[in-house]
Amino acid sequence: MPSRQRGAPGSGGASAEGERELLSAADLARTVARVAHEIIERTAPDGGEQAPPVVLLGLPTRGTYLARRLAERITEITGAVVPTGTLDPTLYRDDLRLRPTRALAETELPAAGIDEAVVVLVDDVLMSGRTVRAALDALRDHGRPRAVQLAVLVDRGHRELPIRADYVGKNVPTNRSEDVAVRLVEVDGEDGVSLR
Amino acid sequence: MTVADGTSTGIGLRHLLSTEALRRDQAEALLDTAAGMEQALTGRAVRKLPTLRGRTVVTLFYENSTRTRVSFEVAGKWMSADTINVSASASSVSKGESLRDTAATLGAAGADCLIVRHPASGAPHRIAAWLDRVGHSHLGAEGHVAVVNAGDGTHEHPTQALLDAATLRARLGRVEGAHVAIVGDVLHSRVARSNAHLLATLGARVTLVSPPTLLPVGVESWPVAVSHDLDATLGGDAAGGAPDAVMMLRVQAERMHGGFFPSAREYAIRFGLSQARADRLADHAVVLHPGPAVRGMEIASSVADSSRAAITEQVTAGVHVRMAVLYHLLAGEDVA
């Protein structure tokens, strides 16, 4: 099942009709490559000894794979190895009481830790900002990064918190009732983003 | 029947009263969550999660306990719940207050969850049923006080069975298909009962090894095989294979009034896990003990201290399992 960032709860069950493709597989690859370039420009992961290390932390499930893809691109371009990890913010969410309990996802930080690093959080879709807020809280319990940045594949608006992405793959104006479905080969067998 | 049914929460758990009523998907979700808790806490600067902030967990213990009470308290505190310990000897229970009134008082005082240990089998079930019948103003119209059985008489001790399963998962990589021998005083053991049901639900094969006098009536209806010869079971049984795990039970002298076996020495010789017996186990086989262990009785000191024994891992797993239980009972939306 593709990842969905849904407006009103219970608005699921959208059928294939009325589905609009936002990014094809080729578009998605180009977008990841562009964001990788932007991260290099801003953080200089090949900056040598004195530059702070850069760590890409994906938010499960698809953010984890996006973080790995971004790290591969960055290594291809600069030769620098960027550690990646995954951070599950579930236990820090502020909406736990509003839904049935969720399963926990994986949390795995690079062995070197995140202290004094520039941490780039990576997620597939940015909407309310509540997941990112929870991730910021989770991060604080793991250490003290020098800076935290946010990279998302799709920014669909409808923010409920003062949170902004540093790197955006694609801005998509959406209706709250619509779903943004991100599909990645690693999870869904194919790449693409669609709106329904 | 149990009050543990209800389908609206994530895994459909209102109370945790027994493993017999636990479905396989629920048990596996609890074990997965426990593994997630362990991962979430590994290598961190701050060992505290905000998940249960503002929730109150009360442990109500009518029997002594170290590991169970402490690990519930640690589990609650690591998730930022307020945990309060009530022991029967230091409460109004010693003034003659009934179980029902004590439970009602704790519910009215603001508990979101009651962790109950009681010498009478079924006491947590009764408390859950009583509390479900009355409303609790601090929990809203829909709210309910979740009850966790932390050991009731000779009936069940579900979180112990869950932590044993979590330990087996970590050591063996799987529970399904594993052969687990549960050895000793099955009659007085809520741990044995909870484990027999949970392990069977998870697809393991269980053999109870015990003198006939220490087997409960009705054991033939349990999903287990029964043996009276420890050496034969360790050597492999008809269904094929020596045990992948041996769980030694404590001989519960405090519950025994009469001669269940001729002497402690004879019991130790026939049903104790000596070093010689442990040496016959397969290389991967794990030795479990729910604690407190009586060294020299059911388990030799050298075996309890060997790398084969997972006794301290069980305690650590107990914290993660209890975090998982509190998470699924308290973190999600409250449903009637």
Side-chain angles (χ1 to χ4, degrees), chain A residues 171-194:
Chain A
N171 280 296
V172 183
T174 59
N175 193 307
R176 269 186 176 276
S177 63
E178 290 170 315
D179 283 340
V180 174
V182 173
R183 300 179 305 280
L184 296 179
V185 169
E186 297 91 329
V187 186
D188 312 291
E190 57 164 4
D191 279 353
V193 180
S194 55

Side-chain angles (χ1 to χ4, degrees), chain B residues 178-301:
Chain B
H179 179 201
V180 182
I182 301 179
V183 185
D185 182 3
V186 177
L187 175 63
H188 299 101
S189 177
R190 50 200 178 208
V191 175
R193 185 183 297 260
S194 283
N195 261 302
H197 289 298
L198 182 68
L199 290 170
T201 301
L202 291 171
R205 201 156 58 78
V206 179
T207 304
L208 300 179
V209 186
S210 172
T213 49
L214 287 176
L215 280 173
V217 174
V219 73
E220 45 297 331
S221 70
W222 295 17
V224 297
V226 173
S227 155
H228 303 306
D229 185 341
L230 179 56
D231 288 309
T233 301
L234 294 183
D237 57 14
D244 301 296
V246 182
M247 184 181 301
M248 303 308 298
L249 302 172
R250 184 172 61 91
V251 176
Q252 303 198 25
E254 77 274 22
R255 294 186 209 279
M256 288 188 191
H257 311 284
F260 287 92
F261 44 80
S263 73
R265 188 172 151 71
E266 178 171 334
Y267 179 89
I269 289 170
R270 288 195 55 200
F271 293 98
L273 190 62
S274 60
Q275 185 63 53
R277 286 197 173 110
D279 289 341
R280 291 174 49 211
L281 289 169
D283 286 343
H284 69 274
V286 191
V287 173
L288 302 175
H289 194 300
V294 184
R295 288 166 184 253
M297 181 74 173
E298 70 268 7
I299 188 164
S301 215

Side-chain angles (χ1 to χ4, degrees), chain B residues 171 275 278 287 295 300-311 313:
Chain B
R171 276 284 188 110
Q275 185 63 53
V287 173
R295 288 166 184 253
S301 215
S302 58
V303 177
D305 293 331
S306 69
S307 61
R308 203 187 269 296
I311 299 174
E313 288 156 65

Side-chain angles (χ1 to χ4, degrees), chain A residues 113-185:
Chain A
I114 55 166
D115 285 341
E116 289 309 310
V118 174
V119 172
V120 182
L121 295 174
V122 182
D123 203 0
D124 52 355
V125 180
L126 177 60
M127 187 175 162
S128 67
R130 288 179 191 270
T131 306
V132 174
R133 197 234 19 111
L136 289 170
D137 280 359
L139 210 51
R140 199 184 56 168
D141 285 352
H142 283 279
R144 186 185 182 279
R146 170 173 295 226
V148 183
Q149 300 177 350
L150 175 63
V152 297
L153 186 61
V154 176
D155 182 348
R156 60 165 297 187
H158 304 289
R159 208 78 75 243
E160 295 166 10
L161 295 168
I163 280 170
R164 177 184 60 78
D166 299 273
Y167 314 98
V168 179
K170 189 175 176 64
N171 280 296
V172 183
T174 59
N175 193 307
R176 269 186 176 276
S177 63
E178 290 170 315
D179 283 340
V180 174
V182 173
R183 300 179 305 280
L184 296 179
V185 169

Side-chain angles (χ1 to χ4, degrees), chain A residues 90-92 96-107 138 140-143, chain B residues 8-10 33 36-37 39 44-46 48-51 55 327-328 331-333:
Chain A
T90 304
L91 294 165
Y92 292 81
L96 287 171
R97 295 297 302 280
L98 305 177
R99 304 179 191 203
T101 48
R102 308 149 177 252
L104 303 186
E106 195 185 358
T107 293
R140 199 184 56 168
D141 285 352
H142 283 279
Chain B
S8 305
T9 55
T33 304
M37 292 293 176
Q39 212 175 42
R44 297 163 48 111
V46 178
K48 193 122 181 149
L49 300 160
T51 318
R55 310 293 241 136
Y327 173 71
H328 281 291
E333 67 181 339

Side-chain angles (χ1 to χ4, degrees), chain B residues 62-173:
Chain B
Y62 286 79
E63 281 183 7
N64 298 332
S65 159
T66 309
R67 68 203 77 220
T68 304
R69 194 180 55 70
V70 167
S71 64
F72 265 115
E73 188 175 355
V74 169
K77 286 195 192 302
W78 282 0
M79 289 197 292
S80 304
D82 296 302
T83 58
I84 295 164
N85 299 316
V86 179
S87 66
S89 56
S91 66
S92 291
V93 172
S94 61
K95 300 178 190 167
E97 188 174 55
S98 72
L99 181 65
R100 184 176 189 154
D101 287 341
T102 303
T105 301
L106 296 174
D112 295 287
C113 181
L114 275 188
I115 317 281
V116 182
R117 168 166 290 190
H118 199 280
S121 303
H125 283 80
R126 298 303 305 272
I127 291 178
W130 290 327
L131 290 178
D132 275 350
R133 241 178 278 144
V134 293
H136 294 280
S137 52
H138 66 288
L139 297 173
E142 301 264 276
H144 78 286
V145 178
V147 177
V148 177
N149 179 0
D152 60 334
T154 58
H155 175 230
E156 283 234 29
H157 189 356
T159 56
Q160 175 70 42
L162 285 163
L163 74 87
D164 290 334
T167 307
L168 289 179
R169 251 197 188 188
R171 276 284 188 110
L172 301 174

